[in-house]
Amino acid sequence: MAESIFPADFLWGGAIAANQAEGAYLEGGKGITTVDMIPHGKDRMAVKLGVEKRFALRDDEFYPSHGAIDFYHRYKEDIALMAEMGFTVFRTSIAWSRIFPNGDEQQPNAAGIAFYRDLFSECKKHGIEPLVTLCHFDVPMHLVREYGSWRSRKMVDFFTHYARTCFEAFDGLVKYWLTFNEINIMLHSPFSGAGLVFEKDDNKEQVKYQAAHHELVASALATKIAHEVNPENQVGCMLAGGNFYPYSCKPEDVWAALEKDRENLFFIDVQARGAYPSYARRLFKEKGIVVEMEPGDSEILKDTVDFVSFSYYASRCASADMNDNNSNAANIVKSLKNPYIEASEWGWGIDPLGLRITMNMMYDRYQKPLFLVENGLGAKDVVNEQGEINDDYRISYLREHIKAMGEAIEDGIPVMGYTSWGCIDLVSASTGEMSKRYGFVYVDRDDQGNGTLARTRKKSFHWYKKVIASNGMDLD
Ligand code: BG6
């Protein structure tokens, strides 16, 4: 076989998040979080978007995060399956409320620390590097109720205290860190993204960008602390990625696409370049936003990340007359339907070349190593009479995207690794469904929470094992 285009130390693996996999939502002293309040069913979107204030659980609703796939109790079995595929990296998140159940305590919860020490040790035992997100959407509810979540500057202290606690407690076990998962999603899904709920008279844009400022300051401080605790630590930001294409070459459409890209890249511009981008002034003026900053904030923001991580599921499309009626959401971000590409069952455009385009744009802009930490196809799987899951559609999606990532490497981009999303089936963040599956490993559980939770290797499991063993060269 020809020599691999992937570097010899390229990290191969998969990704999950605490709130979509662990379950055990009140065990081990864990506090309740924003994601625990988001029901499955008709009210899901209103709660996720922060339009419907939901501060108490209801008896007549089902909350998928409460049980999820019970990774909390089954992680040893699950990590062994990842090791069997040859993973060298495993991305998960720490549930903030397992470490600080309310979020504003001084002393951490010992049971939470013990759980993650065991989990990361288990990964290391199998030669797997943990890649750990500090906040993957789940803010402790106490912080939402008491402080309005990221509306409040106090969150910077709570988060940095939490971050330091994690860097110290897991020093020697974890060296790859991400501060906030898909930080730009707070603009599109404010409650699930950042614990924000709105009052009738709020200027929503003002609330969101003030919260964004707090997160950006907290992220820069956490980055600095990580390096102080251990200079070997490498910290990344994380973008919900996917370039916008102009719907046509009409200049107004090209401009609309550029503005849409900036909306998302705004966060990474700060985290990777260390200052607010030049276009922010006009953006804030036109939206009537005045971001309150403290003296010293611009110094703090200069602590930039070591690498830029991102998710990529689909490219996006924008025009000057895009509105709520002619667009739909792919990975929460609104987009026009691109007539040149196919889409998944959930309407997410399938566009491997878009990945190469996105990676080139990001490296041109940031000149920092990239890490593709989420990519995959959400699809309905069928277990046949022999008990097999023949997920050729998933293999084909992943194959084409891995090829495109290889092309980006050939284009000269340093890429640290690849963690496909939902390497074991888990709860969908957007819909709350279990039936929107991404995994190499099937989990017997349905959308209402019924099932044995048994794990089964899919066809893609055996395929991915070969991909890893050949360092990305055997994709057949
Ligand atoms: C990203 C998130 O938005 O996409 C994950 O970081 C999420 O949490 C993933 O699960 C896929 O989206 P969905 O809605 O299909 O679960």
Side-chain angles (χ1 to χ4, degrees):
M1 200 179 297
E3 203 189 321
S4 178
I5 51 173
F6 293 91
D9 58 354
F10 191 81
L11 295 165
W12 289 100
I16 64 165
N19 72 82
Q20 291 168 262
E22 286 176 7
Y25 84 114
L26 290 179
E27 270 181 67
K30 177 179 167 294
I32 197 152
T33 71
T34 45
V35 181
D36 295 326
M37 308 304 296
I38 304 177
H40 180 54
K42 66 173 180 34
D43 294 338
R44 185 172 180 85
M45 263 308 149
V47 178
K48 261 175 81 67
L49 300 184
V51 175
E52 186 181 330
K53 203 171 185 170
R54 199 64 87 73
F55 286 5
L57 297 174
R58 283 182 10 188
D59 291 340
D60 59 341
E61 282 180 329
F62 171 62
Y63 300 92
S65 72
H66 294 190
I69 60 159
D70 197 30
F71 180 74
Y72 185 77
H73 295 112
R74 294 167 192 250
Y75 70 87
K76 287 197 176 154
E77 178 194 347
D78 294 341
I79 297 298
L81 285 163
M82 304 308 140
E84 192 182 322
M85 277 186 277
F87 277 29
T88 48
V89 61
F90 177 67
R91 174 176 176 231
T92 188
S93 65
I94 295 176
W96 185 346
S97 71
R98 284 200 191 283
I99 308 298
F100 292 103
N102 282 331
D104 58 359
E105 301 90 336
Q106 270 311 305
Q107 290 309 314
N109 168 32
I113 305 256
F115 169 70
Y116 289 108
R117 278 202 73 85
D118 287 352
L119 168 59
F120 302 144
S121 304
E122 192 67 18
C123 292
K124 298 291 266 195
K125 199 175 95 190
H126 288 284
I128 298 173
E129 259 328 309
L131 164 61
V132 177
T133 315
L134 285 168
C135 186
H136 192 119
F137 297 156
D138 44 357
V139 177
M141 266 315 282
H142 174 77
L143 298 181
V144 177
R145 292 193 193 100
E146 289 299 311
Y147 307 93
S149 188
W150 287 98
R151 282 173 181 257
S152 165
R153 175 85 191 194
K154 290 204 173 90
M155 291 292 278
V156 174
D157 293 338
F158 301 143
F159 183 80
T160 48
H161 180 52
Y162 160 59
R164 181 184 288 282
T165 305
C166 291
F167 300 142
E168 287 173 354
F170 310 122
D171 189 31
L173 288 172
V174 180
K175 69 171 183 220
Y176 297 110
W177 297 94
L178 305 178
T179 51
F180 294 96
N181 179 63
E182 295 191 333
I183 187 164
N184 51 313
I185 289 300
M186 69 147 67
L187 295 181
H188 310 278
S189 184
F191 183 68
S192 71
L196 300 174
V197 278
F198 299 103
E199 303 303 334
K200 224 172 68 235
D201 299 329
D202 275 339
N203 171 351
K204 286 190 181 173
E205 299 295 325
Q206 166 70 34
V207 173
K208 290 194 274 187
Y209 279 97
Q210 185 64 59
H213 180 70
H214 294 150
E215 282 202 10
L216 290 167
V217 168
S219 177
L221 284 168
T223 305
K224 185 165 181 244
I225 297 167
H227 294 145
E228 279 165 10
V229 171
N230 189 338
E232 299 275 293
N233 276 333
Q234 292 195 45
V235 185
C237 52
M238 199 311 198
L239 169 82
N243 267 33
F244 271 95
Y245 301 152
Y247 198 70
S248 78
C249 52
K250 199 166 101 186
E252 286 79 4
D253 288 351
V254 177
W255 179 251
L258 185 141
E259 281 200 306
K260 283 279 164 200
D261 272 337
R262 279 180 168 175
E263 187 177 71
N264 291 311
L265 294 171
F266 161 80
F267 296 84
I268 311 303
D269 285 350
V270 179
Q271 290 173 297
R273 303 196 301 210
Y276 271 60
S278 48
Y279 57 82
R281 229 174 90 183
R282 178 162 185 183
L283 177 87
F284 291 169
K285 198 168 143 207
E286 290 182 355
K287 288 179 185 280
I289 297 166
V290 182
V291 174
E292 230 175 86
M293 301 193 190
E294 287 193 356
D297 280 1
S298 50
E299 271 309 301
I300 292 173
L301 293 178
K302 286 185 184 152
D303 269 293
T304 58
V305 289
D306 302 300
F307 64 95
V308 174
S309 85
F310 65 107
S311 61
Y312 179 86
Y313 295 90
S315 57
R316 300 157 178 151
C317 225
S319 78
D321 12 78
M322 181 169 162
N323 57 48
D324 281 354
N325 299 324
N326 60 14
S327 60
N328 76 338
N331 200 15
I332 315 283
V333 181
K334 291 255 171 79
S335 165
L336 293 171
K337 187 172 165 10
N338 182 339
Y340 297 100
I341 60 175
E342 303 274 301
S344 79
E345 279 180 75
W346 279 265
W348 297 22
I350 300 175
D351 180 12
L353 182 54
L355 171 60
R356 182 177 174 191
I357 294 169
T358 300
M359 292 177 77
N360 273 273
M361 175 281 296
M362 286 173 76
Y363 191 63
D364 286 351
R365 195 166 176 129
Y366 301 123
Q367 299 284 299
K368 298 213 184 225
L370 303 184
F371 204 141
L372 178 45
V373 297
E374 283 187 35
N375 170 239
L377 179 73
K380 289 202 168 109
D381 289 334
V382 178
V383 185
N384 71 15
E385 281 177 7
Q386 290 73 45
E388 301 159 344
I389 301 107
N390 292 315
D391 53 344
D392 294 288
Y393 36 89
R394 181 167 297 110
I395 294 174
S396 143
Y397 176 100
L398 293 171
R399 177 190 294 126
E400 295 312 313
H401 285 78
I402 291 173
K403 275 190 198 160
M405 175 174 61
E407 294 290 343
I409 290 174
E410 295 265 68
D411 293 333
I413 301 175
V415 185
M416 295 165 66
Y418 176 80
T419 55
S420 71
W421 176 249
C423 44
I424 177 165
D425 292 346
L426 37 59
V427 174
S428 156
S430 55
T431 66
E433 292 162 305
M434 261 311 293
S435 51
K436 189 181 187 193
R437 297 172 183 275
Y438 288 87
F440 303 115
V441 175
Y442 184 89
V443 177
D444 179 26
R445 187 166 165 93
D446 69 14
D447 292 343
Q448 281 69 46
N450 308 304
T452 62
L453 290 167
R455 277 56 171 156
T456 309
R457 294 165 186 80
K458 302 182 194 176
K459 188 172 176 182
S460 56
F461 180 101
H462 306 287
W463 171 82
Y464 196 45
K465 186 173 175 177
K466 278 196 312 163
V467 173
I468 297 177
S470 64
N471 196 20
M473 292 312 278
D474 184 358
L475 296 170
D476 294 337

